[in-house]
Amino acid sequence: MSHAMALYADIGAHGLWSVSRGLSRGLARGPEGREEYKKMMELADTPRQGDLDGRGNLSLRALTEFVLWFLRVSLDQVTFMSELFAIDTLAKRLRIYVDRSDQLKPEAVRLLEEALIRGEFERGEIARITGLPERTARRVLGAVQEAGLLASETDKGPVSLRIPAETLETLFPKLFLENLDNATSG
């Protein structure tokens, strides 16, 4: 249910993160974390404890405890993924990627930063963004598109940032530098 609600709210992830990942890990580290979810689910199904513990058959106190735990796990996962992806420094890593590339001109950084900040931009803006003559700017855009870093839904539509698999080690180094136990402990 939580996964479905996250997808409905357009915050569900596809592959790298999901609410289910956080729930399966819990807040505790190691094997205790895996058992924590089962324990909390059982707690949520606790029968009502007296007349002051809700109106139904189940304990309102226990359900409240489960919901608070669930929210702490969700917040923990959002924090973990935010730190892992470090979006606030992605522009710097895009610049490093362009600097290391033999195929991309330095002006390519301006296009990538524009797409990062605005989400997308019109092709007609590339000369203004790069500060280059129109024809040269189009060649720079073509090279960035060929590298897979910018793309468009149509041939003449606005372009937006893409993250090809071969760029992941440079653009998201924390995904690879830490060993699996550390990288997935969040």
Side-chain angles (χ1 to χ4, degrees):
M1 177 69 177
S2 56
H3 183 70
M5 293 304 291
L7 289 173
Y8 181 76
D10 203 24
I11 58 171
H14 306 285
L16 289 176
W17 177 84
S18 72
V19 172
S20 300
R21 177 196 179 277
L23 293 174
S24 71
R25 303 189 81 62
L27 291 170
R29 303 296 177 241
E32 310 85 48
R34 290 180 191 75
E35 295 302 315
E36 192 176 25
Y37 176 65
K38 292 176 189 173
K39 177 183 156 200
M40 294 307 292
M41 286 296 288
E42 287 175 16
L43 178 68
D45 288 335
T46 301
R48 190 170 118 182
Q49 305 292 307
D51 292 341
L52 301 177
D53 192 17
R55 294 181 174 200
N57 293 332
L58 299 178
S59 168
L60 179 61
R61 180 195 54 77
L63 177 61
T64 302
E65 239 180 276
F66 174 79
V67 169
L68 291 173
W69 174 82
F70 179 89
L71 292 172
R72 282 193 305 272
V73 167
S74 298
L75 182 58
D76 177 67
Q77 288 301 296
V78 169
T79 301
F80 169 70
M81 293 308 289
S82 295
E83 290 170 0
L84 191 63
F85 283 100
I87 297 297
D88 55 330
T89 59
L90 181 55
K92 178 181 172 186
R93 296 189 310 272
L94 285 166
R95 177 171 279 116
I96 290 168
Y97 186 83
V98 169
D99 289 345
R100 292 178 181 170
S101 172
D102 296 331
Q103 289 79 34
L104 299 176
K105 292 187 177 254
E107 292 83 2
V109 169
R110 294 182 190 152
L111 295 175
L112 295 170
E113 287 175 343
E114 191 79 11
L116 178 63
I117 292 167
R118 291 180 43 199
E120 65 180 24
F121 59 86
E122 298 295 328
R123 293 167 187 271
E125 297 179 73
I126 59 175
R128 176 192 60 79
I129 294 168
T130 61
L132 297 170
E134 185 73 27
R135 182 171 279 187
T136 307
R138 287 194 183 283
R139 281 196 295 270
V140 170
L141 175 62
V144 176
Q145 287 180 298
E146 191 174 311
L149 292 164
L150 290 176
S152 177
E153 298 297 321
T154 64
D155 290 342
K156 297 186 184 221
V159 294
S160 58
L161 189 63
R162 302 294 198 272
I163 309 293
E166 59 272 9
T167 66
L168 291 177
E169 287 189 54
T170 301
L171 298 182
F172 300 106
K174 289 185 179 181
L175 285 175
F176 299 97
L177 290 180
E178 298 176 8
N179 67 41
L180 187 58
D181 290 337
N182 289 338
T184 60
S185 65

